[in-house]
Amino acid sequence: LSPRQMSWRPQYRSSKFRNVYGKVANREHCFDGIPITKNVHDNHFCAVNARFLAIVTESAGGGSFLVIPLEQTGRIEPNYPKVCGHQGNVLDIKWNPFIENIIASCSEDTSVRIWEIPEGGLKRNMTEAVLELYGHSRRVGLVEWHPTTNNILFSAGYDYKPVKMIDCHTDVILCMSFNGDGSLLATSCKDKRLRVVEPRSGRVLQEASCKNHRVNRVVFLGSTKRLLTTGVSRWNTRQIALWDQEDLSMPLIEEEIDGLSGLLFPFYDADTHMLYLAGKGDGNIRYYEIGSEKPYLSYLMEFRSPAPQKGLGVMPKHGLDVSACEVFRFYKLVTLKGLIEPISMIVPRRSETYQEDIYPMTPGTEPALTPDEWLSGMNRDPILMSLKEGYKKTSKIVFKAPAREKKSVVVNGIDLLENVPPRTENELLRMFFRQQDEIRRLKDELSQKDIRIRQLQLELKNLRNSPKNN
């Protein structure tokens, strides 16, 4: 092997993360019996926060996803309630970083919807979103929340627009990534170009035409002013490249990974400066340390597993177990087994005290800006929090959907907009079961009232026959 081909091998250097290892949760702490979607769209189909796990599921006649409280591990019942309001397959889901029960979803039905999950999880199927957004003319493949501003959401559709005001792309957008303060948006596109965009105006600040490195995924590397992309080389080998965000004329380095065909997903931890690479259909996760000087990228270790992954959800920092020195946690989708498997990345330490060197101040759950402030041109770094006392604080922010004017079209005493006829078999079944529940409830109510009437009639008869009345 040439030195270039061997560059992925471990370089023994001083690093506190050199011995990080992956630990798979016990079977009873996994989520089993989940009909994970078989959709081939290149997304994770999974979103996690400190309270809930959301997974896109296989469904007929529409799109749906499960929302499960994290403590509810084990086997999930087949009739577990779902979020099932979309008329097409759900392609992406993301939790609001500041309100833990608000989740955004996008679908082939051209809509983006915002859902409010009740406290304690779903008790019945949810079909009504708190907000429905229609800005795309074709299916919507990506959604992304702004990292420092509450209630700012970006979406990318197959009409080549990440949001309505950004139209610099000539083909399908494959990936979006914000920098730390949300002032820049990086996109990779099917037209083989990497772009850095000013997200408010849509102005392209930097653009790279990738001839030797066909970009699939892009991620900002925290505050280092660098980008990392994963893609395919001209020889169809999987490859990563590091870029200076202020000069995309040439990558700083290019590194070939292997000859497999699955898409490489990059995950970056800005607190530890660690990069994780996980291939779609692979069973392994490679991890590296990012440096500020050459060679920039240092291979650390590799987590291996025989089960192939369809996608991976990532737990936010404030949801990690700091007592176990856990620095990252994946939720691995194993489609063949219908299994969601938590994988903890752990720094081995003998001391049981809080390890401040591996847990610096990290972005918390309070937004740094309001939407009006951000739209007016302000930028601000995220508000940081410490993990030393464990995460107990609950956000006081409440999601308020804009009030919609109620319209009605009444025909023969029936409001057609209020009672839209079912358009798919799935909608028909949902309406049927909803009506059956309503009929059952009304029958129970009617029987209770009958009993009450008989009781009152008996009391009245007793009053009439009492000696006092005689």
Side-chain angles (χ1 to χ4, degrees), residues 128-373:
E128 296 296 325
V130 294
L131 198 58
E132 296 180 15
L133 306 171
Y134 293 93
H136 293 276
S137 58
R138 298 179 66 185
R139 60 178 172 164
V140 188
L142 295 169
V143 284
E144 197 72 49
W145 293 95
H146 193 275
T148 62
T149 309
N150 193 28
N151 292 342
I152 294 285
L153 180 70
F154 284 70
S155 63
Y158 278 62
D159 48 5
Y160 318 147
K161 297 178 184 179
V163 285
K164 200 169 184 180
M165 61 182 175
I166 300 178
D167 56 0
C168 57
H169 300 83
T170 59
D171 211 324
V172 176
I173 297 156
L174 302 174
C175 183
M176 297 188 292
S177 176
F178 281 102
N179 66 341
D181 63 2
S183 60
L184 297 175
L185 176 69
T187 63
S188 60
C189 184
K190 211 170 179 179
D191 62 7
K192 301 180 184 179
R193 291 180 182 273
L194 172 66
R195 294 175 176 86
V196 176
V197 180
E198 204 290 318
R200 282 170 286 240
S201 64
R203 184 165 52 95
V204 178
L205 304 177
Q206 289 287 329
E207 186 173 338
S209 180
C210 312
K211 296 178 181 177
N212 298 331
H213 172 73
R214 191 166 71 247
V215 176
N216 286 323
R217 288 290 180 272
V218 59
V219 63
F220 268 102
L221 300 181
S223 57
T224 62
K225 294 190 175 182
R226 294 201 174 100
L227 295 163
L228 184 125
T229 58
T230 67
V232 181
S233 71
R234 63 168 65 180
W235 297 281
N236 281 335
T237 56
R238 295 198 295 192
Q239 191 180 50
I240 58 175
L242 191 68
W243 308 77
D244 182 345
Q245 72 180 38
E246 295 174 352
D247 181 13
L248 299 184
S249 57
M250 283 288 289
L252 297 174
I253 58 166
E254 288 180 344
E255 193 84 26
E256 290 189 11
I257 303 300
D258 55 33
L260 300 178
S261 59
L263 180 72
L264 272 179
F265 292 113
F267 303 90
Y268 181 65
D269 181 1
D271 295 345
T272 60
H273 306 292
M274 285 180 66
L275 170 74
Y276 300 86
L277 293 179
K280 186 175 181 179
D282 296 0
N284 59 343
I285 301 172
R286 299 176 176 88
Y287 34 106
Y288 303 76
E289 192 169 10
I290 303 289
S292 56
E293 299 175 353
K294 287 186 177 181
Y296 302 119
L297 201 65
S298 302
Y299 178 88
L300 293 174
M301 198 80 75
E302 183 176 353
F303 166 79
R304 296 190 178 186
S305 165
Q309 58 226 5
K310 183 180 181 67
L312 293 161
V314 174
M315 173 64 75
K317 276 286 180 170
H318 57 260
L320 300 179
D321 183 4
V322 295
S323 63
C325 295
E326 183 183 34
V327 292
F328 215 73
R329 189 192 304 165
F330 294 102
Y331 284 78
K332 175 179 173 179
L333 276 65
V334 186
T335 311
L336 297 176
K337 299 179 181 178
L339 185 70
I340 310 295
E341 202 174 53
I343 302 171
S344 298
M345 311 307 294
I346 295 173
V347 180
R349 295 282 171 97
R350 292 188 179 182
S351 174
E352 294 182 0
T353 59
Y354 180 72
Q355 308 290 313
E356 292 193 20
D357 60 326
I358 61 175
Y359 294 116
M361 296 286 282
T362 191
T365 57
E366 296 294 324
L369 293 168
T370 65
D372 290 338
E373 287 173 337

Side-chain angles (χ1 to χ4, degrees), residues 391-409:
Y391 178 72
K392 296 184 181 68
K393 186 176 179 182
T394 56
S395 177
K396 296 179 181 178
I397 304 169
V398 178
F399 181 82
K400 292 183 179 178
R404 289 178 284 186
E405 183 183 350
K406 184 174 173 59
K407 298 179 181 179
S408 61
V409 177

